[in-house]
Amino acid sequence: MNINLTLFAQLISFAIFVWICRKYVWPPIVEAMQARQKEIADGLNAAERAQNDLRLAQDSAADKLREAKQEAAGIIEQANKRASQIVDEAKEQARVEGERIKEAAQAEIDQEYNRAREDLRAKVSKLAVVGAEKILQSSVDQGAHQQMLDKVAAEL
Amino acid sequence: MAGGTLTSTEYIQHHLVNLTYGQLPAGYERDNGEILEASAWTMAHNAQEAADMGFMAIHVDTMFWSIFLGGLFLWLFKKVADGVTTGVPSGAQNFVEMIVDFVDENVKSIFHHKNVWIAPLGLTVFVWIFLQNLMDLVPVDWIPELAKAMGIHYMKVVPTTDVNATAGMALGVFLMILYYSIKAKGFRGFAAELTLQPLPPWFLPFNLFLEVVSLLSKPIALALRLFGNMYAGEMVFILISLLPFYLQWTMSVPWALFHILIITLQAFIFMILTVVYLAMAHDHH
């Protein structure tokens, strides 16, 4: 166990080794490790962000779907309402038209009736004159009895 | 058991001598009877010569293995650092990143100041000491016998069983403690920390004594803890290898398995304490 110059030789080599390690060995390895750590952290962050985005997208898709369903339901309801409205309008129109046709027919019937009555009246007065002539065996003086005959015809 | 002609004591002692290159004084009588006319730089022939060289000597084996292993560490990590990818890492990068992350986490949990040197320092300390300790798991005679075949008679392959190696690193840490103490608190602040606490200022000499002892104990504890653990572990391996070869495995296998824990733990403790001491140096009291 002799203490000698080896002590200082060892001190010097120790110092040189530490210096080389500090200058050339430690920085690149530690930098690479830190860079990898950062990459991994970034990757995890990105994954988390993507998951978040996905959740948001899913939420908004669900929202859109719900909205679309509501809209569709609204449209169907409106359409139903419109359809029944159309039916009602058609019914009303038909009723009005029927009424009109009925009225026209009534008017025609009345007209027809009046005409037939006039006709009948004329014919009856003529028939009455002929019948009276036949009964009286003589011709009635048209001029003298016209007034009376008209009175009879009006009474028919 | 190596060298049938050696006694057990000689065998153990042989294993505990470093390959030493140093200066022998003039007039020194070498083991082969040669007397030096002038002081000379030479390889020590035995333990006595290595000891007689005194301070002006260097352990070639310790330096070779520690620099080789430090170079291996830096080469391996640099290779990974050059091909580093921020994508999915491959095998070697995974391994390196695991260690770097481990060190970084520990440093971050202990050291809360801003200093870019601490974490690389921790990494260097941890991996380098671990590799040096790991040499202990190479069977004790393999590399020394190989060296002997190449004509090198002494070879201690575990640098951390040499107190010079551990003390050298601890000294480096100590210098950093002094530097950062003064840098963070200023010279006056550091001096105040050494003299005005824990007791009130009128106990100044006592405070100074206490704080200097506590300051000096840091590098000494660092150096001796690692050295003691590795030296003892190495010694146990050497003792086990004195057993007959067919019995060695009964002891060496359990001890090696246990030793895997020790070498990792000691590297870890050295790193953690280094970081703790430097954190304390940055703290204001």
Side-chain angles (χ1 to χ4, degrees), chain A residues 48-121:
Chain A
E48 205 169 320
R49 231 180 3 251
Q51 228 160 10
N52 243 0
D53 288 353
L54 180 64
R55 204 167 36 242
L56 287 178
Q58 273 171 344
D59 284 357
S60 85
D63 278 354
K64 288 234 166 75
L65 199 62
R66 202 166 40 244
E67 269 171 37
K69 269 182 188 165
Q70 270 174 357
E71 211 171 326
I75 289 171
I76 288 170
E77 201 178 332
Q78 218 173 353
N80 278 342
K81 219 185 277 176
R82 178 91 189 106
S84 58
Q85 201 180 354
I86 289 170
V87 169
D88 285 352
E89 276 175 16
K91 271 184 189 164
E92 179 65 20
Q93 233 168 1
R95 199 181 55 76
V96 170
E97 182 70 12
E99 209 101 310
R100 203 180 51 78
I101 290 169
K102 214 167 74 181
E103 264 168 33
Q106 191 65 49
E108 206 175 331
I109 288 167
D110 287 352
Q111 208 179 350
E112 224 30 56
Y113 171 77
N114 286 339
R115 207 175 49 221
R117 219 168 61 160
E118 288 304 314
D119 212 19
L120 195 58
R121 191 180 289 156

Side-chain angles (χ1 to χ4, degrees), chain A residues 1-11 13-14 16-26 28-37 39, chain B residues 54-55 57-59 63 66 70 74 77 81 84-87 93 96-97 101 104 116-117 119-121 123-124 128 163-165 167-169 172:
Chain A
M1 206 181 123
N2 310 316
I3 298 282
N4 55 33
L5 283 178
T6 313
L7 179 72
F8 293 103
Q10 189 76 4
L11 171 63
S13 45
F14 179 50
I16 293 171
F17 286 142
V18 171
W19 184 78
I20 294 174
C21 181
R22 160 76 187 88
K23 271 282 177 286
Y24 301 106
V25 174
W26 184 265
I29 293 174
V30 168
E31 273 162 25
M33 286 165 72
Q34 280 169 348
R36 181 175 323 112
Q37 242 169 10
E39 266 174 35
Chain B
F55 190 76
I58 192 157
H59 293 157
M63 290 319 298
S66 64
L74 288 176
F77 276 56
V84 76
T85 165
T86 59
Q93 194 185 336
V96 164
E97 280 188 7
D101 198 45
D104 202 32
V116 291
W117 284 90
L121 171 73
L123 179 70
T124 310
W128 192 28
V163 73
N164 288 291
M169 288 182 281

